[in-house]
Amino acid sequence: MKKRKLGHSDLFVTELGLGCMSIGTEEKAARNIIETALEEGINYFDTADLYDFGENERMVGEALKSVREQVILATKVGNRWKSDKTGWTWDASKAYIKEGVKQSLKRLGTEYIDLYQLHGGTIEDPIDETIEAFEELKAEGFIRYYGISSIRPNVIREYINKSSIVSVMMQYSILDRRPEEEALPLLHEHGISVVTRGPLAKGLLSEKLLSKASEKGYLDYSYQELNEILPRLKERLAANRSFTEVALQYNLANPAVASVVAGASSPEQIRSNVAAVRSKSLTDEEVSFIREVTKPNIYMQHR
């Protein structure tokens, strides 16, 4: 599988990464999914301390133990579970980040994290303090590089100006083109890579199409609009290929994108996503058609 350089780092990530949140909590099944990903050439695995109260990190670390030096392991910090585990609070403080990394390293069973990401972020955060925490963790050898997970342009600009982030994770798909207005061009200009999530828009951009649609629609697309747009896209672009291929290739067509992180709850899903990424790239005409049919900027909240 092709690899792309992650920002200014020396990390080269496969064009498809595995979003580990969806692998479930049954150890054998989860390991089977991860091993299938490895067999198919995926080298980029993304988890978070939030997932399953840290159990996801433990399972991922255990499954990757024998190939640790050959993979790129990413996790996240910032969401703090309440003591009764009924929910979580946001904490971007230096103290929490430096404590959080110790717990993640222990669960992952590794001495270092390749990419440590702030799992969100607002303009009200103590951003200078947050950056200081990540920079110290780099200097101490606990992490190799760091990034953020955000779609907020004001937050992204702060980190571009003040930090040495190598990546930003954000939701991006044919049906969610918010990043195209500002975030993607800005990050590409500064040599910071984008790692995308949600490329299939909750299954709407898979072969299941409207069977995955809610009567409420998706973002600010109404159900009626989806009923008009999706068949039109499929007819024009997916006559001789799967709709999943079109969806993943649309993300990879943007020069700012280094990897598409897609979840999978079965080995079959892994293989399907891998086939989609290995398929033929979209032409400029196909990309233009998608942009003509869909909404350019759905909404830009929390600027």
Side-chain angles (χ1 to χ4, degrees):
M1 187 182 297
K2 291 180 182 176
K3 297 177 183 177
R4 298 186 182 187
K5 188 177 181 182
L6 195 69
H8 298 296
S9 77
D10 60 359
L11 304 177
F12 285 81
V13 295
T14 45
E15 291 183 331
L16 179 68
L18 177 61
C20 296
M21 183 175 69
S22 61
I23 62 175
T25 56
E26 203 284 306
E27 192 101 23
K28 186 176 179 181
R31 180 181 284 271
N32 196 13
I33 292 169
I34 291 172
E35 289 179 349
T36 301
L38 290 168
E39 289 167 8
E40 293 291 337
I42 292 173
N43 80 339
Y44 180 36
F45 296 83
D46 182 272
T47 180
D49 58 1
L50 183 71
Y51 304 158
D52 299 315
F53 310 107
E55 180 67 7
N56 192 268
E57 282 185 323
R58 187 196 65 76
M59 289 196 303
V60 170
E62 182 66 28
L64 295 175
K65 186 182 294 184
S66 63
V67 293
R68 178 65 188 94
E69 300 300 318
Q70 287 79 55
V71 299
I72 292 169
L73 190 51
T75 191
K76 311 182 197 74
V77 67
N79 291 299
R80 188 172 196 164
W81 280 107
K82 295 179 181 177
S83 57
D84 61 3
K85 295 185 178 180
T86 57
W88 60 85
T89 57
W90 176 245
D91 190 346
S93 68
K94 179 178 178 179
Y96 182 64
I97 291 169
K98 297 203 73 173
E99 177 58 31
V101 77
K102 294 177 186 177
Q103 301 305 318
S104 285
L105 287 167
K106 184 177 180 180
R107 287 189 292 263
L108 289 164
T110 185
E111 295 181 353
Y112 66 94
I113 293 164
D114 296 292
L115 180 65
Y116 202 36
Q117 301 159 101
L118 186 67
H119 203 174
T122 71
I123 203 65
E124 288 79 31
D125 289 343
I127 291 176
D128 291 340
E129 178 185 320
T130 303
I131 293 169
E132 191 174 273
F134 283 109
E135 290 291 346
E136 287 183 9
L137 291 176
K138 270 182 68 179
E140 292 160 356
F142 292 118
I143 66 174
R144 294 177 68 188
Y145 299 98
Y146 67 98
I148 62 172
S149 177
S150 179
I151 198 173
R152 297 178 169 107
N154 57 354
V155 173
I156 291 170
R157 282 193 294 268
E158 284 291 297
Y159 279 89
I160 288 174
N161 294 332
K162 295 181 175 181
S163 78
S164 59
I165 58 169
V166 298
S167 65
V168 177
M169 174 177 268
M170 61 180 66
Q171 182 169 301
Y172 179 48
S173 73
I174 287 172
L175 293 178
D176 186 356
R177 293 174 50 210
R178 288 175 289 176
E180 291 177 358
E181 180 185 31
E182 183 173 355
L184 290 174
L186 183 63
L187 289 164
H188 186 55
E189 177 188 338
H190 286 85
I192 298 168
S193 290
V194 173
V195 176
T196 64
R197 59 181 178 81
L200 301 182
K202 296 186 176 179
L204 289 169
L205 298 173
S206 69
E207 298 311 296
K208 296 178 181 179
L209 291 178
L210 285 167
S211 68
K212 284 287 187 176
S214 161
E215 290 183 4
K216 296 178 182 177
Y218 182 75
L219 298 180
D220 77 342
Y221 283 95
S222 67
Y223 182 87
Q224 183 177 350
E225 286 175 318
L226 292 174
N227 195 31
E228 294 170 358
I229 291 170
L230 293 178
R232 188 177 173 193
L233 288 170
K234 184 173 175 61
E235 181 182 5
R236 169 72 181 270
L237 303 171
N240 299 306
R241 65 196 310 185
S242 74
F243 207 30
T244 297
E245 288 178 39
V246 175
L248 297 187
Q249 289 296 338
Y250 181 76
N251 279 30
L252 291 170
N254 194 292
V257 175
S259 183
V260 180
V261 174
S265 56
S266 69
E268 291 73 29
Q269 270 190 302
I270 290 278
R271 296 188 187 100
S272 173
N273 290 342
V274 167
V277 166
R278 286 180 174 152
S279 68
K280 186 179 177 183
S281 302
L282 294 178
T283 65
D284 291 343
E285 290 77 14
E286 288 173 326
V287 171
S288 295
F289 176 74
I290 288 169
R291 291 175 178 169
E292 288 169 11
V293 171
T294 57
K295 298 181 181 182
N297 302 297
I298 298 171
Y299 59 85
M300 291 298 289
Q301 290 184 342
H302 310 296
R303 296 186 68 85

